[in-house]
Amino acid sequence: MNQLAIRPQPLGIFALPSGYLVLPPTDEPCAATALAALLRGTTPTEWPQAWQFYAHALDGNITAALEALPSSPEPLAIYNRYVLTGSHIDHLALHIMLDGELACLHDVAAFTMGQRQEPPPMDQATGEIRALCLIAHAAAAIERGEPTAADHYFADAIAAATPVSPTLAGQIYLNRAELAMQTGGDVSLITRWLQQALDLIPAEGGSDMRARAALQLGQILQEYAGGQRGPLQAAVRCYQEALRFFQRETHPLEFAFIQNNLALAYLAMPMTDAGDRLRGAIAVQALRAALSIYDPEQHPQEWTSARLNLANALQYVHSARPADHLLEAVAIYEDLLHRRDPATDPGGYARILANLGNALAHLGVFAEARERLNAAAALFDQLGDETALATVRELLANIAICEAQGNYGSLSTPTV
């Protein structure tokens, strides 16, 4: 029987091909520490010589990994070479010589590489190896259009992995949550699974899987926060966690997306104390960071949305220079109006007009504010948007009161 001398193995924790490689036995002193690091999803600071092939594979250097493998006819060496190369000759040899746990892993790898049509049998698999087999069965169920069956496989895979490889279990929780999101699953379950992924995947590894879980959990918390401070603060913590991995230099678009969402979460919090003023300033900074990445030609939708969010934030957050903020907001709204077609997007055009009118009114430029607001009101009336129309009419009424009183500095306006 081809049983593995080292258990548990860090199977499935890292991206392929590393995630399917098997560590051979070694008595080198640093092996235990290196294995513990790999099981946490982190790179060891010191590698046993016998595991140098794994280190090279993690670095993406497949040629060096192959050179570091022993030129041995032993099944484990052939299996690791097969994982690195996908060689059909090695696949056939392994099919003949393997049994037990290594045969299960070979079947998993062959299925993933498309050299085996059916997912692997699980009768000889335990622990992390059984978890990988179950993940393969879940993938097959998804391909067949059977998400319920796939979810059951994921649940069984989590149960198999949790006692021996918690990091792998956390990643499977993320896979399960993502499948549920794609198929309209229960939001409370998705939230719980994403949180369990965060609880099980260590923060120290800088894992993309942990960052994905944090980002998706933040989005759900923000979407269902209903303006409540607690869920919004939790969403902010998730975004900050995701930014540990999705950094400007390595993942610019993800960085910009998170910064935009982070700003919106801050702006949605009730502004009731001095700390909220700081959060408003941070929101403006986050939007500026997003706009440093987004380009109007390459990312027109994202750039426009972030610009509009920035203009809205500049109107409503506390500032020591409110007039400067309002003037910048007016300039942004004017620019966006030139880029928006009222014929194809009358609602969006009207909202920009209304926000522009609001900013002009706060600056005391009432004549121009009235012009923009009346144009917005006409569009909202045509669209039958009674809520937006009522807001614009309230703004116009406040302007009339200020003009009658000769007051040009303390306009009270609702949010458009």
Side-chain angles (χ1 to χ4, degrees):
M1 295 279 289
N2 301 122
Q3 303 301 326
L4 306 187
I6 295 177
R7 295 291 298 274
Q9 291 272 339
L11 294 165
I13 292 175
F14 298 98
L16 299 181
S18 304
Y20 284 173
L21 292 174
V22 171
L23 299 170
T26 177
D27 57 2
E28 295 175 71
C30 63
T33 303
L35 176 60
L38 291 170
L39 287 169
R40 293 193 304 271
T42 63
T43 303
T45 55
E46 184 180 2
W47 287 91
Q49 186 61 36
W51 296 354
Q52 284 299 314
F53 74 95
Y54 200 107
H56 291 309
L58 274 182
D59 287 338
N61 192 338
I62 303 304
T63 300
L66 287 167
E67 291 174 352
L69 277 175
S71 54
S72 166
E74 290 297 316
L76 182 55
I78 298 174
Y79 167 80
N80 280 329
R81 185 171 67 237
Y82 169 67
V83 169
L84 292 170
T85 65
S87 165
H88 186 65
I89 294 175
D90 286 338
H91 170 55
L92 293 176
L94 290 169
H95 185 70
I96 295 170
M97 69 173 60
L98 293 185
D99 57 15
E101 296 165 345
L102 203 51
C104 292
L105 285 176
H106 170 237
D107 287 341
V108 171
F111 175 77
T112 303
M113 296 179 189
Q115 295 178 349
R116 176 188 173 93
Q117 297 304 310
E118 296 298 321
M122 295 177 286
D123 52 337
Q124 299 184 71
T126 60
E128 72 280 16
I129 298 174
R130 181 174 179 82
L132 279 196
C133 291
L134 286 160
I135 292 171
H137 280 267
I142 292 170
E143 289 180 5
R144 296 193 304 268
E146 300 174 1
T148 301
D151 179 72
H152 290 317
Y153 285 124
F154 279 140
D156 290 344
I158 290 167
T162 299
V164 294
S165 184
T167 301
L168 176 59
Q171 294 181 354
I172 303 170
Y173 269 121
L174 174 59
N175 296 147
R176 191 181 189 189
E178 289 178 336
L179 173 64
M181 285 187 284
Q182 294 164 9
T183 55
D186 182 88
V187 172
S188 62
L189 284 177
I190 294 170
T191 302
R192 188 173 76 196
W193 294 337
L194 289 172
Q195 184 59 63
Q196 287 171 317
L198 286 173
D199 291 341
L200 289 170
I201 302 173
E204 63 187 282
S207 164
D208 65 320
M209 300 284 278
R210 180 178 172 85
R212 274 168 46 197
L215 174 55
Q216 290 166 356
L217 180 57
Q219 289 178 265
I220 291 175
L221 291 170
Q222 184 173 5
E223 181 179 355
Y224 291 93
Q228 298 179 66
R229 184 184 296 271
L232 288 168
Q233 288 175 329
V236 165
R237 289 193 293 271
C238 287
Y239 292 142
Q240 291 169 336
E241 173 65 31
L243 284 171
R244 295 179 58 187
F245 179 83
F246 293 123
Q247 298 182 8
R248 179 195 298 269
E249 296 76 18
T250 57
H251 299 81
L253 292 182
E254 290 85 351
F255 170 85
F257 177 79
I258 295 169
Q259 291 288 357
N260 186 69
N261 278 19
L262 186 63
L264 293 179
Y266 275 130
L267 293 170
M269 291 183 192
M271 297 290 179
T272 57
D273 56 46
D276 292 319
R277 293 181 175 182
L278 175 60
R279 282 187 280 274
I282 294 173
V284 169
Q285 290 178 347
L287 289 166
R288 294 195 193 281
L291 286 165
S292 72
I293 302 297
Y294 289 141
D295 179 87
E297 302 301 325
Q298 297 181 2
H299 323 105
Q301 185 174 348
E302 294 86 352
W303 180 83
T304 299
S305 176
R307 286 266 286 170
L308 185 58
N309 290 336
L310 175 60
N312 292 341
L314 288 169
Q315 279 207 72
Y316 294 106
V317 301
H318 177 80
S319 169
R321 304 186 308 276
D324 291 346
H325 274 191
L326 287 169
L327 286 169
E328 184 180 355
V330 166
I332 294 172
Y333 290 135
E334 292 280 13
D335 178 63
L336 293 176
L337 278 178
H338 291 305
R339 298 170 183 270
R340 189 71 61 96
D341 184 357
T344 58
D345 186 13
Y349 191 85
R351 292 188 184 281
I352 296 174
L353 275 173
N355 281 312
L356 173 58
N358 188 31
L360 289 167
H362 276 289
L363 284 167
V365 188
F366 289 152
E368 289 187 33
R370 248 195 327 271
E371 179 185 345
R372 303 298 196 279
L373 290 169
N374 282 325
L379 286 171
F380 286 137
D381 191 31
Q382 292 173 15
L383 294 168
D385 190 336
E386 295 296 331
T387 302
L389 180 60
T391 301
V392 171
R393 285 175 174 166
E394 185 177 350
L395 286 168
L396 287 166
N398 287 339
I399 289 174
I401 293 171
C402 286
E403 284 184 310
Q405 296 175 346
N407 184 349
Y408 292 86
S410 59
L411 179 73
S412 174
T413 57
T415 301
V416 181

